[in-house]
Amino acid sequence: MLKINGKEYNYDGMTISEILELEHYEKFRVAVERNQEIIPKAQYDSVQVQDQDQLEIVSFVGGG
Amino acid sequence: MSEHVKEIKNPVIPSREEFYQVLAKRHGTKLQEKFSQASVAVCGLGGLGSLIAILLARAGIGKLSLLDFDRVDLSNLNRQQYFVDQIGMYKTDALSRNIHRIAPYCEIFTHTIKITEENILELFGQESVICEAFDNPEAKAMLVDAVLTQFPEKYLVCASGMAGIGSANLIRTKKITSHFYLCGDQVSELADGEGLFASRVAVCAAHQAHTILRILAGLQDN
């Protein structure tokens, strides 16, 4: 089990890209942080999440 | 009794030292020294960025880099810190002038350019804090990715979610990682009937400016 934005999910072994698609996030509007470190967009297809990981997905909305 | 407000012609501009002393009296010498040595970049000079830059200049930040490719438009005047006679000017030029009328000794560097993944490495140097104040969500995400991967030593203060007339109390600052802060309610998106209100945008801008001052003060908690 891992946590995404404080909630538990059973996504162990999945890539960041797979999780973003499952959770309906738009890749080019998010920033993803795992265990206090930012994951570069170029690594979304290769980084696999593990048991106990803490993920924070920030989804940006328009306006400024 | 009402009085006619007279414009002061050719005011005497106080010295750099006088400016420093009045700020040091309010903020404390220790903090003011940090602020006057600091260099901050503001990316995007709309409702957020134009106000953030002015708030930082008023606090006595020594150096500001202002980045925006756009010109002042009539539709900006409901919430952005420009004047009617500046419509058509580049925001970088207009805001530099406005800031210098407030803080004449603030050193300003302007980049009238669209920030992309390709040019970002050349745009930042001495700044210890970078402030994201774009309106476009893809541009926001691009800047976060580029800054946090290419400039891991710099602090980044972003905004997301300040549109509409929802409660101002929903706008807050969240520390995402040691060098990444996010201000806003994270959900209120710009949409039809959910426009940008100067007051709510200003709350978010003030959160960002205040977070930057706290980072410079060495108070990097929440």
Side-chain angles (χ1 to χ4, degrees):
Chain A
M1 292 288 262
L2 60 126
K3 276 191 175 173
I4 303 174
N5 297 354
K7 275 165 68 179
E8 288 199 325
Y9 291 85
N10 202 354
Y11 289 162
D12 300 5
M14 283 191 190
T15 65
I16 302 298
S17 290
E18 287 167 338
I19 290 174
L20 292 178
E21 204 177 322
L22 273 171
E23 292 299 315
H24 309 291
Y25 284 104
E26 289 183 48
K27 180 184 172 182
F28 291 102
R29 290 187 175 199
V30 297
V32 182
E33 169 259 315
R34 180 177 63 159
N35 307 331
Q36 287 291 305
E37 285 198 23
I38 283 289
I39 301 175
K41 262 192 210 329
Q43 295 175 16
Y44 283 4
D45 286 339
S46 57
V47 170
Q48 289 177 306
V49 294
Q50 293 166 3
D51 187 32
Q52 304 298 316
D53 271 353
Q54 304 253 9
L55 235 62
E56 182 88 27
I57 302 174
V58 174
S59 184
F60 288 98
V61 296
Chain B
M1 199 180 87
S2 72
E3 243 179 278
H4 186 70
V5 180
K6 292 193 194 89
E7 197 182 335
I8 302 166
K9 297 283 182 203
N10 303 320
V12 177
I13 293 172
S15 70
R16 183 186 286 270
E17 183 59 24
E18 285 174 288
F19 266 93
Y20 183 84
Q21 287 307 329
V22 293
L23 289 172
K25 199 172 168 188
R26 279 154 184 83
H27 302 150
T29 309
K30 211 172 136 192
L31 269 192
Q32 203 53 48
E33 194 52 38
K34 287 180 179 172
F35 291 169
S36 65
Q37 301 286 329
S39 176
V40 177
V42 181
C43 305
L45 305 176
L48 294 172
S50 62
L51 182 54
I52 292 164
I54 284 176
L55 293 173
L56 295 175
R58 287 195 192 276
I61 297 301
K63 292 175 182 155
L64 286 177
S65 298
L66 307 178
L67 300 92
D68 199 303
F69 63 90
D70 212 359
R71 293 175 188 267
V72 178
D73 184 82
L74 171 60
S75 64
N76 300 151
L77 295 184
N78 80 320
R79 67 189 189 283
Q80 305 187 17
Q81 308 300 312
Y82 303 103
F83 298 98
V84 175
D85 58 12
Q86 294 180 320
I87 289 172
M89 277 177 79
Y90 281 119
K91 290 183 177 179
T92 44
D93 295 335
L95 191 59
S96 308
R97 291 185 197 188
N98 299 346
I99 288 174
H100 276 151
R101 289 180 67 189
I102 296 165
Y105 303 106
C106 179
E107 206 176 332
I108 298 176
F109 307 87
T110 59
H111 298 275
T112 307
I113 192 169
K114 187 163 189 161
I115 304 173
T116 65
E117 280 170 273
E118 287 73 39
N119 65 19
I120 203 161
L121 264 177
E122 305 147 31
L123 293 175
F124 302 121
Q126 61 186 341
E127 303 88 356
S128 58
V129 185
I130 295 175
C131 179
E132 177 279 310
F134 294 145
D135 53 1
N136 178 297
E138 281 90 7
K140 287 171 182 284
M142 181 278 294
L143 193 77
V144 173
D145 195 62
V147 169
L148 294 177
T149 56
Q150 300 185 49
F151 301 99
E153 78 289 356
K154 297 189 192 299
Y155 287 90
L156 180 64
V157 179
C158 297
S160 182
M162 77 300 298
I165 199 160
S167 170
N169 287 340
L170 298 174
I171 291 183
R172 51 192 287 269
T173 300
K174 189 175 178 189
K175 186 176 186 175
I176 309 286
T177 70
S178 64
H179 281 60
F180 175 26
Y181 293 77
L182 182 67
C183 305
D185 66 16
Q186 297 196 44
V187 291
S188 298
E189 188 158 18
L190 189 57
D192 281 346
E194 287 291 310
L196 292 163
F197 293 79
S199 41
R200 200 163 193 262
V201 173
V203 172
C204 190
H207 264 265
Q208 287 182 277
H210 198 66
T211 298
I212 292 166
L213 294 185
R214 285 177 54 80
I215 289 168
L216 296 172
L219 301 164
Q220 283 112 341
D221 52 347
N222 279 313

